[in-house]
């Protein structure tokens, strides 16, 4: 089925300008009008005028999602973080034979918590601890060490579509090889593990319907020693038969406090950063595809960045109480995270991190120096803030898992010069797809989608917008109206 939209949409009383204003922005902390400058508006990004479709707007939470987010409990998150701190150290090289101290005790407790939620889930949540023995690497692993990941999977109705959320449960102090000293790791990264646990508890309840896609709630080890747990998990999914279709992964790493700076003077309690990689690595995207991407200006439209745009649209609302600050880069300078192995396995992945970091409370021996307390202690965690970050994750994951997957083989016709644009695509991988599609676009200098047109069940559309002037995307839209992640079209034809 094909559709042509070559004239102004009759439903529009006037043309809607394309601007680089973020249409999904929600001002959760209202300010006086004179203190509210326009957000991301640039005159050069307001052209060409939009003669089709409508403005792209945020997606409101469904009734189920609103209920899920309301159940996220800061007291549960605090209890999890304090319990993980109680194991003394969770260093990857620490003891695995004690029931009260070390990474082995933490692993077993995390498994038991996930299992407790699984037992109450009426079979929809299953738990396993997976891993391998990492041999000495000549760097941060000096002796054979078991690396274990705890994975709780909420099973969806589709055969092979999965979203992953993780935090790492290992911890460290100043010396990355010191596996004896207490390393509380409250912010880095008991906070991320607490989010995985709390979302698994809520979403697995039998009161909620099965999502379309499965969701894996994960606690990984080995992050501080070299991202080993995440690498093992990503490769396990990639090497499965058939290859696991992971359409999105989030790591929550250092999400425990909105305060930071040299002396904690900076604070943004309603902001979470979300890091999204640009160009995929050449091991994932070959040189021919890379050249095509660069020639069409698609360097800002990697699968990871489309994932972050989706989060912006579904997770900034009153139900989360948060603003998502998307950062267009892989990670912070000199840092790394568990999303990277998933990206290297060819999966879209992104990292949540608090808005301002306090390095006195990361990777530090516990001590008082010149009257200042050092160490990653629970007293520096804002548990209500972590709960809000959990709601952002919950909004993103539930919206992804209950929406259709991504359209496949999305193309833009470049067979001849034209001032209009023709797009083609194939349905999402799930058999029997009965939903529709939306075409989205934005000026090339705009960070988020600004225009949208519902094209129904068509799999081909011609629009009176020039592909030379805007960036297009195509996303699936379920029969219930919930939309998925957009996909950048590459040059091609029917």
């Amino acid at each position: 089925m094909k559709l042509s939209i070559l004239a102004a949409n009759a439903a529009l009383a006037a043309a809607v300008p394309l601007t680089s204003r973020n249409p999904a922005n929600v001002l959760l902390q209202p300010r006086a009008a004179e203190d509210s400058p326009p957000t991301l508006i640039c005159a050069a990004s307001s052209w060409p005028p939009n003669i089709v479709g409508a403005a792209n707007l945020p997606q409101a939470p469904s009734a189920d999602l609103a209920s899920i987010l309301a159940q996220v409990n800061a007291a549960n998150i605090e209890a999890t973080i304090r319990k993980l701190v109680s194991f003394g150290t969770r260093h990857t090289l620490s003891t695995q034979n004690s029931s009260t101290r070390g990474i082995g005790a933490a692993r077993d407790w995390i498994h038991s918590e996930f299992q407790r939620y699984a037992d109450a889930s009426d079979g929809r949540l299953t738990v396993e601890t997976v891993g391998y023995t990492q041999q000495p690497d000549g760097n941060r692993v000096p002796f054979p060490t078991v690396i274990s990941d705890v994975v709780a999977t909420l099973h969806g109705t589709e055969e092979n579509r999965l979203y992953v959320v993780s935090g790492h449960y290992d911890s460290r102090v100043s010396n990355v090889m010191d596996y004896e000293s207490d390393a509380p790791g409250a912010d880095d990264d008991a906070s991320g593990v607490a989010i995985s646990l709390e979302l698994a508890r809520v979403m697995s309840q039998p009161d909620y319907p099965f999502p379309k896609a499965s969701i894996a709630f994960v606690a990984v080890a080995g992050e501080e020693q070299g991202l080993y747990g995440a690498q093992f998990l990503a490769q396990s999914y990639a090497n499965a038969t058939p290859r696991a279709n992971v359409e999105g992964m989030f790591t929550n790493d250092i999400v425990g406090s909105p305060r930071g700076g040299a002396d904690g003077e900076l604070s943004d309690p309603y902001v979470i950063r979300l890091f999204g990689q640009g160009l995929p690595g050449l091991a994932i995207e070959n040189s021919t595809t890379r050249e095509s991407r660069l020639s069409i200006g698609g360097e800002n439209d990697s699968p990871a960045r489309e994932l972050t745009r989706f989060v912006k649209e579904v997770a900034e609302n009153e139900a989360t109480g948060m603003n998502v600050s998307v950062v267009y880069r892989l990670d912070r300078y000199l840092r790394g995270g568990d999303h990277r192995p998933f990206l290297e396995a060819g999966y879209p992945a992104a990292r949540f991190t608090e808005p301002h970091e306090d390095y006195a409370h990361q990777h530090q021996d516990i001590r008082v120096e010149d009257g200042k307390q050092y160490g990653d202690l629970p007293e520096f965690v804002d548990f209500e803030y972590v709960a809000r970050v959990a709601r952002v994750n919950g909004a993103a994951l539930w919206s992804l898992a209950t929406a259709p997957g991504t359209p496949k083989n999305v193309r833009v016709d470049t067979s001849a010069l034209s001032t209009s644009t023709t797009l083609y695509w194939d349905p999402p991988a799930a058999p029997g797809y009965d939903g529709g599609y939306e075409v989205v676009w934005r000026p090339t200098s705009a960070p988020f989608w600004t225009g949208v047109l519902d094209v129904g069940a068509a799999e081909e559309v011609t629009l009176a917008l020039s592909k030379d002037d805007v960036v297009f995307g195509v996303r699936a839209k379920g029969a219930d109206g919930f939309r998925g992640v957009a996909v950048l079209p590459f040059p091609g034809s029917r």
Side-chain angles (χ1 to χ4, degrees):
M1 178 180 176
K2 60 183 178 180
L3 187 66
S4 294
I5 309 292
L6 294 173
N9 190 326
L12 291 179
V16 179
L18 289 173
T19 74
S20 60
R21 178 185 61 81
N22 170 22
N25 185 53
V26 177
L27 294 178
L28 299 166
Q29 300 296 308
R31 297 179 295 177
E34 62 271 21
D35 295 329
S36 301
T39 304
L40 297 171
I41 288 182
C42 170
S45 293
S46 300
W47 186 92
N50 180 13
I51 59 173
V52 296
N56 185 41
L57 299 174
Q59 178 172 285
S62 67
D64 286 330
L65 178 53
S67 174
I68 286 168
L69 301 184
Q71 285 202 54
V72 171
N73 190 311
N76 290 341
I77 286 170
E78 178 178 1
T80 293
I81 291 172
R82 291 190 183 279
K83 181 63 178 181
L84 290 171
V85 169
S86 76
F87 293 112
T89 178
R90 305 187 306 279
H91 195 286
T92 297
L93 305 177
S94 64
T95 180
Q96 301 199 22
N97 298 320
S98 170
S99 62
T100 58
R101 183 176 177 84
I103 194 166
R107 172 200 61 214
D108 295 345
W109 180 81
I110 293 167
H111 185 113
S112 70
E113 284 296 286
F114 276 136
Q115 189 60 55
R116 188 160 63 90
Y117 308 149
D119 292 344
S121 73
D122 199 18
R124 61 190 62 209
L125 186 73
T126 59
V127 186
E128 58 181 339
T129 295
V130 298
Y132 74 106
T133 299
Q134 172 63 42
Q135 297 301 318
D137 64 0
N139 188 15
R140 293 186 175 187
V141 180
F143 49 79
T145 301
V146 173
I147 306 291
S148 299
D149 300 333
V150 189
V151 183
T153 303
L154 177 63
H155 297 278
T157 58
E158 292 183 9
E159 183 68 23
N160 185 15
R161 181 160 64 100
L162 176 68
Y163 298 95
V164 179
V165 60
S166 84
H168 70 86
Y169 68 99
D170 59 305
S171 62
R172 59 164 289 187
V173 289
S174 301
N175 178 359
V176 72
M177 303 303 289
D178 178 359
Y179 56 88
E180 296 288 354
S181 298
D182 281 356
D187 191 359
D188 186 13
D189 185 35
S191 63
V193 174
I195 287 174
S196 289
L197 281 163
E198 182 66 359
L199 292 180
R201 180 189 71 83
V202 177
M203 290 185 178
S204 64
Q205 294 175 19
D207 296 340
Y208 298 114
F210 283 93
K212 294 183 176 72
S214 298
I215 305 173
F217 307 94
V218 183
V220 300
E223 195 271 352
E224 302 289 6
Q225 306 311 110
L227 310 179
Y228 283 117
Q231 184 177 60
F232 172 79
L233 190 62
Q235 289 302 313
S236 295
Y237 286 136
N239 295 330
T241 304
R243 174 184 167 94
N245 177 27
V246 179
E247 290 204 354
M249 180 272 183
F250 302 109
T251 183
N252 288 275
D253 194 351
I254 311 179
V255 292
S257 173
R259 301 185 66 85
D263 294 300
E265 71 278 8
L266 303 174
S267 182
D268 278 294
Y270 302 101
V271 173
I272 183 68
R273 288 185 290 175
L274 179 60
F275 289 83
Q277 183 192 46
L279 293 172
L282 285 172
I284 302 304
E285 186 171 87
N286 63 39
S287 59
T288 300
T289 304
R290 170 65 56 83
E291 287 301 317
S292 179
R293 181 183 292 279
L294 293 174
S295 72
I296 63 174
E299 59 273 12
N300 197 24
D301 285 84
S302 64
R305 291 201 175 162
E306 305 300 15
L307 184 64
T308 65
R309 291 186 177 100
F310 180 90
V311 176
K312 186 82 172 173
E313 291 189 12
V314 303
E316 276 195 346
N317 51 55
E318 292 182 359
T320 67
M322 292 289 279
N323 287 288
V324 180
S325 178
V326 174
V327 183
Y328 286 146
R329 57 168 45 105
L330 171 64
D331 211 326
R332 301 100 73 230
Y333 284 93
L334 303 178
R335 307 299 288 270
D338 288 323
H339 59 314
R340 185 166 192 154
F342 279 81
L343 290 163
E344 291 171 347
Y347 295 129
R351 173 186 182 136
F352 286 107
T353 296
E354 62 199 31
H356 305 290
E357 297 177 71
D358 188 335
Y359 301 126
H361 302 140
Q362 294 178 21
H363 299 182
Q364 294 283 352
D365 293 339
I366 301 171
R367 67 193 189 279
V368 176
E369 193 173 285
D370 297 328
K372 183 173 183 175
Q373 177 70 62
Y374 287 80
D376 191 353
L377 298 163
E379 65 198 71
F380 300 113
V381 174
D382 181 334
F383 305 109
E384 292 288 348
Y385 175 79
V386 183
R388 290 195 294 275
V389 177
R391 292 185 189 106
V392 169
N393 278 261
L397 289 163
W398 193 257
S399 298
L400 286 163
T402 56
T406 53
K408 306 304 178 187
N409 198 23
V410 182
R411 292 96 71 207
V412 56
D413 188 352
T414 56
S415 59
L417 295 175
S418 174
T419 57
S420 61
T421 299
T422 299
L423 302 166
Y424 316 92
W425 58 89
D426 297 331
Y433 177 66
D434 61 355
Y437 303 92
E438 290 182 334
V439 175
V440 291
W441 59 88
R442 68 182 196 276
T444 60
S445 58
F448 306 109
W449 302 116
T450 57
V452 61
L453 179 69
D454 188 326
V455 299
E459 295 175 12
E460 175 182 336
V461 65
T462 299
L463 299 171
L465 284 172
S466 173
K467 55 188 170 291
D468 295 332
D469 300 326
V470 299
V471 179
F472 282 102
V474 178
R475 64 191 183 197
K477 182 179 181 180
D480 54 9
F482 294 113
R483 62 211 189 202
V485 177
V487 178
L488 174 74
F490 276 75
S493 61
R494 268 296 183 205

